């Protein structure tokens, strides 16, 4: 399965020049299990045209966005400007964890991850690749038909961090 990570870093001095460790960890887990990943960072001024070109060229099966709260307004703009997005969409990161109610208020967003995302995102990618139902994956909140939101319970925190692969530095 092809996963496109989108990271908005608009108007942040030096932001796009820094490595996003969380995305590197997510990518490493996905690659370890046979998935293909790519990162598109939005930086400088908001311009959806390059992202639109990446979507057309890469044709992802899953679009995973990550955002801190000050960047969430740009996530909303992505969904407004690029509807319909061509794949299942999920939001993770601090904003999704702290304000999961944003799922209901964001048209086109299919799910979000509350808390750690390495294994929930892997399980989501596997479920989508196999035509399965992602609505029972712990840590995920998923929009069901009719707009109902399935709020899955959180899983325990990872205890053995050494079991995770090294962060994917090839992503950037």
């Amino acid at each position: 399965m092809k996963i496109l990570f989108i990271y908005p870093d608009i108007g942040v001095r030096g932001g796009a020049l820094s490595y996003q460790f969380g995305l590197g960890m997510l990518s490493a887990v996905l690659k370890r299990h046979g998935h293909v990943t790519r990162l598109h960072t939005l930086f400088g001024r908001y311009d959806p045209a390059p992202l639109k070109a990446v979507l057309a060229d890469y044709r992802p099966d899953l679009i995973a966005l990550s955002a801190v709260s000050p960047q969430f307004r740009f996530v909303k703009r992505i969904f407004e400007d690029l509807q319909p997005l061509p794949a299942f969409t999920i939001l993770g990161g601090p904003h999704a964890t702290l304000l999961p109610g944003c799922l209901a208020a964001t048209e086109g967003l299919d799910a979000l991850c509350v808390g750690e995302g390495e294994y929930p995102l892997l399980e989501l990618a596997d479920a989508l690749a196999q035509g399965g139902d992602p609505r029972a994956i712990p840590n995920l909140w998923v929009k069901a038909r009719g707009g109902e939101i399935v709020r899955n319970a959180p899983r325990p925190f990872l205890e053995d961090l050494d079991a995770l692969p090294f962060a994917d530095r090839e992503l950037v």
Side-chain angles (χ1 to χ4, degrees):
M1 172 164 274
K2 292 189 331 186
I3 296 101
L4 176 64
F5 289 106
I6 300 173
Y7 187 77
D9 215 8
I10 308 293
V12 177
R13 178 180 285 189
L17 302 175
S18 62
Y19 176 71
Q20 301 303 321
F21 188 75
L23 295 179
M25 293 302 298
L26 296 170
S27 179
V29 169
L30 289 164
K31 285 182 173 181
R32 177 184 270 182
H33 290 87
H35 299 286
V36 178
T37 64
R38 182 171 174 179
L39 171 64
H40 181 78
T41 303
L42 290 95
F43 58 93
R45 298 181 65 181
Y46 176 78
D47 180 5
L51 174 56
K52 193 172 191 176
V54 167
L55 289 167
D57 177 58
Y58 187 60
R59 298 175 36 183
D61 302 302
L62 173 60
I63 299 170
L65 300 99
S66 178
V68 294
S69 291
Q71 295 293 314
F72 182 70
R73 64 188 170 125
F74 298 110
V75 170
K76 292 208 45 122
R77 286 185 67 184
I78 289 167
F79 280 98
E80 291 166 4
D81 294 343
L82 301 177
Q83 276 301 317
L85 285 169
F88 191 94
T89 58
I90 183 167
L91 174 68
H95 186 81
T97 296
L98 297 173
L99 296 166
C102 69
L103 177 61
T106 308
E107 187 174 334
L109 181 59
D110 298 311
L112 58 76
C113 182
V114 176
E116 294 177 340
E118 287 83 1
Y119 291 108
L121 187 59
L122 173 62
E123 291 173 22
L124 174 63
D126 288 344
L128 293 174
Q130 298 166 6
D133 185 354
R135 292 180 295 172
I137 298 171
N139 284 35
L140 297 191
W141 288 23
V142 182
K143 279 185 191 170
R145 289 192 173 96
E148 174 195 354
I149 296 176
V150 177
R151 296 167 174 86
N152 292 306
R155 64 183 74 214
F157 289 117
L158 296 173
E159 291 186 25
D160 182 11
L161 297 180
D162 290 333
L164 291 171
F166 288 111
D168 178 12
R169 299 238 178 220
E170 293 176 357
L171 185 64
V172 292

